[in-house]
Amino acid sequence: MNIAELVRSRHTCKAYDPQRPLSEEQLAQLQEILRYSPSSVNSQPWHFFLITSVEGKAKLVPTLTEHNMEKVRSAPLTVVIATKTELDDQHLQALLAQEELDGRFGGNEEAKKGADGARRYYVGLNSTSAQKQQEWMARQAYIALGFLLMGAATLELDATPIEGFFPEKLDAALGLTELGLKSVVVASVGYGSEQDFNAALPKSRLPAEQVLTRL
């Protein structure tokens, strides 16, 4: 199946089969998809919580709006995508150190200095206020969400992006504030059940001429 066929065939799952767990290989691939998601200036301002246990679900379910609770109870995996409460110097230093360790500068100190300076410049452009920085980091989180949804589809798994939750409750349930994190978006992943009515519905999108322009 090519990528165009994949996006036409995937759908937002409305009900999961609780009897079909994910394999460790599937979980490992989804983890790598999240970890290698792109972000502006490689800022990686995120942390991903992969919730598969009964105990983890018990923490998460009360933080959701009612119509999302059963999805999370039944899905074998729920991912909470959180961002940092502040993109601080310690994080920027850690990014630079990892890039050096991964050989991105080839021992060239000027290249290292240039990469650090460029990243700090663009972080600064998007950090003129705490709110603006949070909004910028949230946009990075949604890039990771998109990769997760498509990655799940390539593994023939169903997925549901979930914005129906109470951030303050979720942050408290997972102790995010103490970790310097803030919840942004949630997604469940698994196998749809026979009750997933959306699987049988035709996909509906506006006509190409209304949403696409080639110049």
Side-chain angles (χ1 to χ4, degrees):
M1 183 180 293
N2 65 38
I3 192 69
E5 292 172 340
L6 193 65
V7 296
R8 285 193 293 265
S9 64
R10 69 153 302 278
H11 69 285
T12 296
C13 186
K14 301 299 183 181
Y16 289 91
D17 183 348
Q19 303 304 317
R20 297 188 68 184
L22 301 187
S23 68
E24 285 301 318
E25 173 61 23
Q26 287 171 319
L27 286 169
Q29 289 194 56
L30 292 171
Q31 286 178 188
E32 289 298 90
I33 288 166
L34 288 167
R35 193 164 72 92
Y36 279 94
S37 294
S39 57
S40 181
V41 294
N42 199 27
S43 54
Q44 303 175 64
W46 47 44
H47 192 94
F48 307 107
F49 292 84
L50 284 77
I51 298 169
T52 59
S53 68
V54 173
E55 295 79 11
K57 291 180 182 183
K59 289 183 179 180
L60 188 58
V61 166
T63 75
L64 305 169
T65 54
E66 186 174 356
H67 68 287
N68 285 312
M69 291 180 174
E70 188 54 37
K71 295 186 188 80
V72 171
R73 288 193 190 100
S74 301
L77 170 66
T78 298
V79 177
V80 175
I81 304 178
T83 58
K84 300 178 74 64
T85 53
E86 180 188 1
L87 203 58
D88 57 15
D89 184 70
Q90 182 179 0
H91 182 70
L92 297 178
Q93 292 278 13
L95 291 172
L96 191 66
Q98 187 63 53
E99 288 172 338
E100 183 172 32
L101 185 65
D102 290 333
R104 288 185 62 84
F105 311 126
N108 186 324
E109 283 299 316
E110 285 301 312
K112 178 181 175 181
K113 182 178 178 181
D116 186 42
R119 177 158 46 232
R120 289 176 183 274
Y121 173 75
Y122 284 107
V123 168
L125 284 181
N126 290 282
S127 304
T128 53
S129 69
Q131 180 180 350
K132 187 172 181 179
Q133 188 183 83
Q134 281 294 321
E135 291 170 350
W136 183 67
M137 289 192 289
R139 292 195 292 274
Q140 314 314 309
Y142 273 83
I143 294 173
L145 173 66
F147 267 62
L148 175 64
L149 298 179
M150 282 302 299
T154 65
L155 295 173
E156 299 183 345
L157 297 171
D158 297 309
T160 310
I162 297 174
E163 292 186 314
F165 65 95
F166 302 98
E168 296 83 2
K169 290 183 179 180
L170 197 157
D171 292 357
L174 297 184
L176 299 190
T177 302
E178 293 79 4
L179 297 172
L181 299 169
K182 179 180 178 62
S183 58
V184 174
V185 68
V186 177
S188 52
V189 181
Y191 293 95
S193 72
E194 293 180 357
Q195 284 70 49
D196 180 14
F197 66 87
N198 204 30
L201 296 177
K203 191 177 287 290
S204 178
R205 295 293 187 270
L206 291 170
E209 60 270 18
Q210 291 188 25
V211 298
L212 299 174
T213 299
R214 296 181 65 171
L215 299 176

Short mmCIF file of all heavy atoms in Angstrom, two decimals, residues 123-184:
data_model
loop_
_atom_site.label_atom_id
_atom_site.label_comp_id
_atom_site.label_asym_id
_atom_site.label_seq_id
_atom_site.Cartn_x
_atom_site.Cartn_y
_atom_site.Cartn_z
N VAL A 123 14.72 29.63 19.12
CA VAL A 123 14.00 29.45 20.39
C VAL A 123 13.62 30.82 20.95
O VAL A 123 12.50 31.04 21.40
CB VAL A 123 14.84 28.65 21.40
CG1 VAL A 123 14.21 28.71 22.79
CG2 VAL A 123 14.98 27.20 20.95
N GLY A 124 14.56 31.76 20.88
CA GLY A 124 14.29 33.10 21.37
C GLY A 124 13.16 33.78 20.62
O GLY A 124 12.32 34.47 21.22
N LEU A 125 13.11 33.60 19.29
CA LEU A 125 12.04 34.20 18.50
C LEU A 125 10.66 33.71 18.95
O LEU A 125 9.67 34.45 18.84
CB LEU A 125 12.23 33.86 17.02
CG LEU A 125 13.31 34.60 16.24
CD1 LEU A 125 13.32 34.13 14.79
CD2 LEU A 125 13.10 36.11 16.30
N ASN A 126 10.63 32.48 19.43
CA ASN A 126 9.35 31.89 19.84
C ASN A 126 9.15 31.88 21.36
O ASN A 126 8.31 31.15 21.87
CB ASN A 126 9.26 30.46 19.30
CG ASN A 126 9.09 30.42 17.81
OD1 ASN A 126 8.01 30.65 17.29
ND2 ASN A 126 10.18 30.17 17.08
N SER A 127 9.95 32.68 22.05
CA SER A 127 9.89 32.70 23.51
C SER A 127 9.80 34.12 24.06
O SER A 127 10.29 34.40 25.15
CB SER A 127 11.12 31.99 24.10
OG SER A 127 11.23 30.68 23.60
N THR A 128 9.17 35.01 23.30
CA THR A 128 9.03 36.39 23.78
C THR A 128 8.08 36.50 24.97
O THR A 128 8.04 37.51 25.65
CB THR A 128 8.55 37.31 22.64
OG1 THR A 128 7.35 36.75 22.05
CG2 THR A 128 9.63 37.42 21.56
N SER A 129 7.32 35.44 25.20
CA SER A 129 6.51 35.33 26.41
C SER A 129 6.40 33.84 26.74
O SER A 129 6.61 32.99 25.88
CB SER A 129 5.11 35.92 26.21
OG SER A 129 4.35 35.12 25.32
N ALA A 130 6.07 33.55 27.99
CA ALA A 130 5.91 32.15 28.40
C ALA A 130 4.80 31.48 27.59
O ALA A 130 4.92 30.31 27.20
CB ALA A 130 5.62 32.07 29.89
N GLN A 131 3.72 32.22 27.33
CA GLN A 131 2.61 31.65 26.56
C GLN A 131 3.04 31.33 25.13
O GLN A 131 2.70 30.27 24.60
CB GLN A 131 1.44 32.62 26.54
CG GLN A 131 0.24 32.10 25.75
CD GLN A 131 -0.93 33.06 25.73
OE1 GLN A 131 -0.94 34.05 26.45
NE2 GLN A 131 -1.92 32.79 24.91
N LYS A 132 3.79 32.24 24.52
CA LYS A 132 4.23 32.00 23.14
C LYS A 132 5.14 30.78 23.08
O LYS A 132 5.04 29.98 22.15
CB LYS A 132 4.94 33.23 22.59
CG LYS A 132 5.27 33.11 21.11
CD LYS A 132 5.79 34.42 20.53
CE LYS A 132 6.08 34.26 19.04
NZ LYS A 132 6.58 35.53 18.44
N GLN A 133 6.01 30.62 24.06
CA GLN A 133 6.88 29.45 24.07
C GLN A 133 6.07 28.16 24.23
O GLN A 133 6.34 27.16 23.56
CB GLN A 133 7.93 29.54 25.18
CG GLN A 133 8.98 28.44 25.10
CD GLN A 133 9.97 28.49 26.24
OE1 GLN A 133 9.69 27.97 27.32
NE2 GLN A 133 11.13 29.10 26.01
N GLN A 134 5.07 28.19 25.10
CA GLN A 134 4.21 27.01 25.28
C GLN A 134 3.48 26.66 23.99
O GLN A 134 3.38 25.48 23.62
CB GLN A 134 3.19 27.26 26.40
CG GLN A 134 3.74 27.11 27.80
CD GLN A 134 4.15 25.69 28.11
OE1 GLN A 134 3.48 24.74 27.71
NE2 GLN A 134 5.26 25.54 28.80
N GLU A 135 2.99 27.67 23.30
CA GLU A 135 2.28 27.43 22.04
C GLU A 135 3.23 26.83 20.99
O GLU A 135 2.84 25.93 20.24
CB GLU A 135 1.68 28.73 21.53
CG GLU A 135 0.53 29.25 22.39
CD GLU A 135 0.10 30.65 22.02
OE1 GLU A 135 0.82 31.32 21.21
OE2 GLU A 135 -0.94 31.10 22.53
N TRP A 136 4.45 27.32 20.96
CA TRP A 136 5.44 26.81 20.01
C TRP A 136 5.78 25.35 20.32
O TRP A 136 5.85 24.51 19.42
CB TRP A 136 6.68 27.70 20.05
CG TRP A 136 7.76 27.32 19.08
CD1 TRP A 136 7.70 27.41 17.72
CD2 TRP A 136 9.06 26.83 19.40
NE1 TRP A 136 8.89 27.01 17.16
CE2 TRP A 136 9.75 26.64 18.17
CE3 TRP A 136 9.72 26.55 20.59
CZ2 TRP A 136 11.06 26.18 18.12
CZ3 TRP A 136 11.03 26.08 20.53
CH2 TRP A 136 11.68 25.90 19.30
N MET A 137 5.98 25.05 21.59
CA MET A 137 6.29 23.67 21.96
C MET A 137 5.09 22.75 21.67
O MET A 137 5.28 21.60 21.26
CB MET A 137 6.69 23.59 23.44
CG MET A 137 8.06 24.19 23.71
SD MET A 137 8.71 23.81 25.37
CE MET A 137 7.63 24.82 26.40
N ALA A 138 3.88 23.25 21.87
CA ALA A 138 2.69 22.45 21.57
C ALA A 138 2.63 22.10 20.09
O ALA A 138 2.22 20.99 19.72
CB ALA A 138 1.43 23.19 22.00
N ARG A 139 3.06 23.02 19.24
CA ARG A 139 3.08 22.71 17.80
C ARG A 139 4.05 21.57 17.50
O ARG A 139 3.79 20.75 16.62
CB ARG A 139 3.42 23.96 16.99
CG ARG A 139 2.34 25.03 17.04
CD ARG A 139 2.52 26.07 15.96
NE ARG A 139 3.68 26.92 16.13
CZ ARG A 139 3.72 28.04 16.86
NH1 ARG A 139 2.63 28.43 17.52
NH2 ARG A 139 4.81 28.76 16.95
N GLN A 140 5.14 21.51 18.21
CA GLN A 140 6.08 20.40 18.03
C GLN A 140 5.42 19.09 18.47
O GLN A 140 5.61 18.04 17.84
CB GLN A 140 7.38 20.64 18.82
CG GLN A 140 7.99 22.01 18.70
CD GLN A 140 8.06 22.53 17.28
OE1 GLN A 140 8.54 21.86 16.38
NE2 GLN A 140 7.56 23.75 17.08
N ALA A 141 4.65 19.15 19.56
CA ALA A 141 3.97 17.94 20.04
C ALA A 141 3.00 17.41 19.00
O ALA A 141 2.86 16.18 18.84
CB ALA A 141 3.22 18.26 21.34
N TYR A 142 2.34 18.31 18.27
CA TYR A 142 1.38 17.86 17.27
C TYR A 142 2.08 17.26 16.04
O TYR A 142 1.48 16.42 15.35
CB TYR A 142 0.44 19.00 16.88
CG TYR A 142 -0.75 19.06 17.80
CD1 TYR A 142 -0.66 19.70 19.03
CD2 TYR A 142 -1.93 18.42 17.47
CE1 TYR A 142 -1.73 19.72 19.89
CE2 TYR A 142 -3.03 18.44 18.32
CZ TYR A 142 -2.91 19.09 19.54
OH TYR A 142 -3.98 19.09 20.39
N ILE A 143 3.32 17.67 15.78
CA ILE A 143 4.09 16.98 14.74
C ILE A 143 4.29 15.52 15.15
O ILE A 143 4.09 14.60 14.35
CB ILE A 143 5.45 17.66 14.51
CG1 ILE A 143 5.25 19.07 13.94
CG2 ILE A 143 6.31 16.82 13.56
CD1 ILE A 143 6.54 19.88 13.85
N ALA A 144 4.67 15.30 16.41
CA ALA A 144 4.86 13.94 16.91
C ALA A 144 3.55 13.15 16.86
O ALA A 144 3.54 11.95 16.54
CB ALA A 144 5.41 13.96 18.33
N LEU A 145 2.43 13.80 17.17
CA LEU A 145 1.14 13.14 17.09
C LEU A 145 0.86 12.66 15.67
O LEU A 145 0.42 11.53 15.46
CB LEU A 145 0.02 14.09 17.54
CG LEU A 145 -1.41 13.57 17.34
CD1 LEU A 145 -1.68 12.36 18.23
CD2 LEU A 145 -2.43 14.68 17.60
N GLY A 146 1.13 13.52 14.69
CA GLY A 146 0.92 13.13 13.30
C GLY A 146 1.76 11.93 12.91
O GLY A 146 1.28 11.01 12.23
N PHE A 147 3.02 11.92 13.35
CA PHE A 147 3.88 10.77 13.07
C PHE A 147 3.33 9.51 13.74
O PHE A 147 3.37 8.42 13.15
CB PHE A 147 5.31 11.05 13.54
CG PHE A 147 6.18 11.64 12.47
CD1 PHE A 147 5.88 12.86 11.89
CD2 PHE A 147 7.31 10.96 12.03
CE1 PHE A 147 6.67 13.40 10.89
CE2 PHE A 147 8.11 11.48 11.02
CZ PHE A 147 7.78 12.71 10.45
N LEU A 148 2.83 9.64 14.96
CA LEU A 148 2.28 8.49 15.66
C LEU A 148 1.07 7.92 14.92
O LEU A 148 0.94 6.70 14.75
CB LEU A 148 1.88 8.88 17.08
CG LEU A 148 1.18 7.80 17.91
CD1 LEU A 148 2.11 6.61 18.15
CD2 LEU A 148 0.69 8.37 19.24
N LEU A 149 0.17 8.79 14.47
CA LEU A 149 -1.03 8.33 13.77
C LEU A 149 -0.68 7.61 12.48
O LEU A 149 -1.22 6.54 12.17
CB LEU A 149 -1.96 9.51 13.48
CG LEU A 149 -2.52 10.26 14.69
CD1 LEU A 149 -3.41 11.41 14.23
CD2 LEU A 149 -3.29 9.33 15.62
N MET A 150 0.25 8.18 11.71
CA MET A 150 0.64 7.53 10.47
C MET A 150 1.47 6.27 10.74
O MET A 150 1.33 5.27 10.04
CB MET A 150 1.44 8.50 9.61
CG MET A 150 0.57 9.53 8.89
SD MET A 150 -0.68 8.76 7.82
CE MET A 150 0.34 7.86 6.67
N GLY A 151 2.31 6.34 11.75
CA GLY A 151 3.10 5.16 12.10
C GLY A 151 2.21 3.99 12.49
O GLY A 151 2.46 2.85 12.09
N ALA A 152 1.17 4.28 13.27
CA ALA A 152 0.23 3.23 13.66
C ALA A 152 -0.42 2.62 12.42
O ALA A 152 -0.57 1.39 12.31
CB ALA A 152 -0.83 3.79 14.60
N ALA A 153 -0.79 3.47 11.48
CA ALA A 153 -1.44 2.98 10.26
C ALA A 153 -0.52 2.07 9.47
O ALA A 153 -0.95 1.05 8.92
CB ALA A 153 -1.90 4.15 9.40
N THR A 154 0.77 2.40 9.41
CA THR A 154 1.71 1.55 8.67
C THR A 154 1.85 0.18 9.33
O THR A 154 2.20 -0.80 8.67
CB THR A 154 3.10 2.19 8.56
OG1 THR A 154 3.69 2.31 9.86
CG2 THR A 154 3.03 3.55 7.89
N LEU A 155 1.59 0.12 10.64
CA LEU A 155 1.64 -1.16 11.37
C LEU A 155 0.28 -1.86 11.38
O LEU A 155 0.09 -2.83 12.11
CB LEU A 155 2.11 -0.91 12.81
CG LEU A 155 3.53 -0.38 12.97
CD1 LEU A 155 3.81 -0.01 14.42
CD2 LEU A 155 4.54 -1.39 12.47
N GLU A 156 -0.66 -1.32 10.59
CA GLU A 156 -2.02 -1.86 10.49
C GLU A 156 -2.74 -1.80 11.84
O GLU A 156 -3.50 -2.70 12.20
CB GLU A 156 -2.01 -3.28 9.92
CG GLU A 156 -1.43 -3.34 8.52
CD GLU A 156 -1.49 -4.74 7.91
OE1 GLU A 156 -1.72 -5.71 8.67
OE2 GLU A 156 -1.33 -4.85 6.69
N LEU A 157 -2.47 -0.73 12.56
CA LEU A 157 -3.13 -0.47 13.84
C LEU A 157 -4.07 0.72 13.69
O LEU A 157 -3.86 1.60 12.84
CB LEU A 157 -2.10 -0.17 14.93
CG LEU A 157 -1.13 -1.30 15.27
CD1 LEU A 157 -0.03 -0.79 16.19
CD2 LEU A 157 -1.88 -2.47 15.92
N ASP A 158 -5.07 0.76 14.54
CA ASP A 158 -5.99 1.90 14.58
C ASP A 158 -5.54 2.87 15.66
O ASP A 158 -4.82 2.49 16.61
CB ASP A 158 -7.41 1.42 14.86
CG ASP A 158 -7.93 0.51 13.76
OD1 ASP A 158 -7.85 0.90 12.58
OD2 ASP A 158 -8.40 -0.60 14.07
N ALA A 159 -5.95 4.12 15.53
CA ALA A 159 -5.54 5.13 16.50
C ALA A 159 -6.60 6.22 16.61
O ALA A 159 -7.41 6.41 15.70
CB ALA A 159 -4.20 5.74 16.10
N THR A 160 -6.57 6.92 17.74
CA THR A 160 -7.51 8.00 18.00
C THR A 160 -6.79 9.17 18.64
O THR A 160 -6.27 9.04 19.76
CB THR A 160 -8.62 7.54 18.97
OG1 THR A 160 -9.19 6.32 18.51
CG2 THR A 160 -9.71 8.60 19.10
N PRO A 161 -6.72 10.33 17.99
CA PRO A 161 -6.21 11.51 18.67
C PRO A 161 -7.25 12.00 19.67
O PRO A 161 -8.44 12.05 19.35
CB PRO A 161 -6.00 12.52 17.54
CG PRO A 161 -6.95 12.09 16.47
CD PRO A 161 -7.10 10.60 16.60
N ILE A 162 -6.82 12.34 20.87
CA ILE A 162 -7.75 12.71 21.94
C ILE A 162 -7.37 14.06 22.53
O ILE A 162 -6.31 14.21 23.13
CB ILE A 162 -7.77 11.64 23.05
CG1 ILE A 162 -8.27 10.31 22.49
CG2 ILE A 162 -8.62 12.09 24.24
CD1 ILE A 162 -8.17 9.14 23.48
N GLU A 163 -8.25 15.04 22.35
CA GLU A 163 -8.10 16.33 23.02
C GLU A 163 -9.10 16.48 24.16
O GLU A 163 -9.04 17.46 24.91
CB GLU A 163 -8.27 17.47 22.01
CG GLU A 163 -7.15 17.56 20.99
CD GLU A 163 -7.27 18.79 20.10
OE1 GLU A 163 -8.38 19.06 19.60
OE2 GLU A 163 -6.26 19.47 19.92
N GLY A 164 -9.98 15.51 24.30
CA GLY A 164 -11.00 15.55 25.33
C GLY A 164 -10.47 15.06 26.67
O GLY A 164 -10.73 13.92 27.08
N PHE A 165 -9.72 15.92 27.34
CA PHE A 165 -9.22 15.60 28.67
C PHE A 165 -9.05 16.90 29.44
O PHE A 165 -9.08 18.00 28.87
CB PHE A 165 -7.91 14.82 28.62
CG PHE A 165 -6.74 15.58 28.04
CD1 PHE A 165 -5.85 16.25 28.87
CD2 PHE A 165 -6.53 15.62 26.68
CE1 PHE A 165 -4.77 16.96 28.34
CE2 PHE A 165 -5.46 16.31 26.14
CZ PHE A 165 -4.58 16.99 26.96
N PHE A 166 -8.87 16.79 30.75
CA PHE A 166 -8.70 17.96 31.60
C PHE A 166 -7.22 18.07 31.97
O PHE A 166 -6.72 17.28 32.77
CB PHE A 166 -9.57 17.82 32.85
CG PHE A 166 -11.03 17.65 32.53
CD1 PHE A 166 -11.61 16.39 32.51
CD2 PHE A 166 -11.81 18.75 32.22
CE1 PHE A 166 -12.95 16.22 32.20
CE2 PHE A 166 -13.16 18.61 31.91
CZ PHE A 166 -13.73 17.34 31.90
N PRO A 167 -6.49 19.01 31.34
CA PRO A 167 -5.04 19.07 31.51
C PRO A 167 -4.58 19.13 32.96
O PRO A 167 -3.60 18.47 33.33
CB PRO A 167 -4.66 20.34 30.75
CG PRO A 167 -5.74 20.50 29.72
CD PRO A 167 -6.98 20.03 30.39
N GLU A 168 -5.27 19.92 33.78
CA GLU A 168 -4.84 20.04 35.18
C GLU A 168 -4.95 18.70 35.90
O GLU A 168 -4.06 18.31 36.67
CB GLU A 168 -5.67 21.10 35.92
CG GLU A 168 -5.50 22.51 35.37
CD GLU A 168 -6.39 22.79 34.16
OE1 GLU A 168 -7.18 21.87 33.76
OE2 GLU A 168 -6.28 23.89 33.60
N LYS A 169 -6.04 17.97 35.63
CA LYS A 169 -6.22 16.66 36.24
C LYS A 169 -5.19 15.66 35.74
O LYS A 169 -4.63 14.88 36.52
CB LYS A 169 -7.63 16.13 35.95
CG LYS A 169 -8.76 16.87 36.66
CD LYS A 169 -10.09 16.20 36.36
CE LYS A 169 -11.23 16.89 37.08
NZ LYS A 169 -12.55 16.25 36.80
N LEU A 170 -4.93 15.69 34.43
CA LEU A 170 -3.96 14.75 33.87
C LEU A 170 -2.56 15.04 34.40
O LEU A 170 -1.83 14.13 34.77
CB LEU A 170 -4.00 14.81 32.34
CG LEU A 170 -3.35 13.65 31.59
CD1 LEU A 170 -3.93 13.52 30.18
CD2 LEU A 170 -1.85 13.78 31.51
N ASP A 171 -2.21 16.32 34.44
CA ASP A 171 -0.89 16.69 34.96
C ASP A 171 -0.72 16.21 36.40
O ASP A 171 0.35 15.71 36.78
CB ASP A 171 -0.70 18.21 34.90
CG ASP A 171 -0.60 18.72 33.47
OD1 ASP A 171 -0.63 17.90 32.53
OD2 ASP A 171 -0.52 19.96 33.29
N ALA A 172 -1.78 16.35 37.20
CA ALA A 172 -1.71 15.91 38.59
C ALA A 172 -1.63 14.40 38.69
O ALA A 172 -0.87 13.84 39.49
CB ALA A 172 -2.92 16.43 39.36
N ALA A 173 -2.40 13.69 37.86
CA ALA A 173 -2.44 12.22 37.92
C ALA A 173 -1.09 11.60 37.59
O ALA A 173 -0.70 10.59 38.19
CB ALA A 173 -3.51 11.70 36.97
N LEU A 174 -0.37 12.20 36.66
CA LEU A 174 0.93 11.66 36.25
C LEU A 174 2.11 12.38 36.90
O LEU A 174 3.27 12.06 36.61
CB LEU A 174 1.07 11.72 34.72
CG LEU A 174 0.07 10.90 33.90
CD1 LEU A 174 0.41 10.98 32.41
CD2 LEU A 174 0.02 9.45 34.35
N GLY A 175 1.82 13.34 37.77
CA GLY A 175 2.88 14.07 38.45
C GLY A 175 3.74 14.89 37.49
O GLY A 175 4.96 15.02 37.69
N LEU A 176 3.11 15.46 36.47
CA LEU A 176 3.88 16.14 35.43
C LEU A 176 4.50 17.45 35.91
O LEU A 176 5.62 17.79 35.51
CB LEU A 176 2.99 16.41 34.20
CG LEU A 176 2.40 15.19 33.50
CD1 LEU A 176 1.76 15.60 32.19
CD2 LEU A 176 3.46 14.13 33.26
N THR A 177 3.79 18.18 36.75
CA THR A 177 4.31 19.47 37.20
C THR A 177 5.65 19.30 37.90
O THR A 177 6.59 20.07 37.68
CB THR A 177 3.30 20.16 38.13
OG1 THR A 177 2.05 20.33 37.43
CG2 THR A 177 3.81 21.52 38.57
N GLU A 178 5.74 18.26 38.72
CA GLU A 178 6.98 17.99 39.44
C GLU A 178 8.12 17.62 38.50
O GLU A 178 9.30 17.78 38.82
CB GLU A 178 6.77 16.87 40.47
CG GLU A 178 5.84 17.22 41.62
CD GLU A 178 4.37 17.14 41.25
OE1 GLU A 178 4.05 16.73 40.11
OE2 GLU A 178 3.53 17.49 42.10
N LEU A 179 7.76 17.13 37.31
CA LEU A 179 8.76 16.74 36.31
C LEU A 179 9.08 17.88 35.35
O LEU A 179 9.88 17.71 34.43
CB LEU A 179 8.26 15.53 35.51
CG LEU A 179 8.03 14.24 36.30
CD1 LEU A 179 7.36 13.19 35.43
CD2 LEU A 179 9.35 13.71 36.86
N GLY A 180 8.44 19.04 35.56
CA GLY A 180 8.66 20.16 34.66
C GLY A 180 7.99 19.97 33.30
O GLY A 180 8.49 20.44 32.29
N LEU A 181 6.83 19.27 33.30
CA LEU A 181 6.13 18.95 32.07
C LEU A 181 4.68 19.40 32.12
O LEU A 181 4.13 19.63 33.20
CB LEU A 181 6.18 17.44 31.82
CG LEU A 181 7.56 16.80 31.64
CD1 LEU A 181 7.46 15.28 31.66
CD2 LEU A 181 8.21 17.28 30.35
N LYS A 182 4.08 19.46 30.93
CA LYS A 182 2.68 19.88 30.81
C LYS A 182 2.02 19.06 29.70
O LYS A 182 2.57 18.97 28.59
CB LYS A 182 2.61 21.37 30.47
CG LYS A 182 1.22 21.94 30.29
CD LYS A 182 1.33 23.42 29.94
CE LYS A 182 -0.05 24.03 29.70
NZ LYS A 182 -0.91 23.96 30.90
N SER A 183 0.88 18.43 29.97
CA SER A 183 0.20 17.61 28.96
C SER A 183 -0.32 18.48 27.82
O SER A 183 -0.80 19.59 28.03
CB SER A 183 -0.94 16.83 29.59
OG SER A 183 -1.88 17.69 30.21
N VAL A 184 -0.22 17.93 26.60
CA VAL A 184 -0.66 18.67 25.42
C VAL A 184 -1.75 17.91 24.67
O VAL A 184 -2.79 18.46 24.34
CB VAL A 184 0.52 18.95 24.47
CG1 VAL A 184 0.04 19.60 23.16
CG2 VAL A 184 1.54 19.85 25.15
#
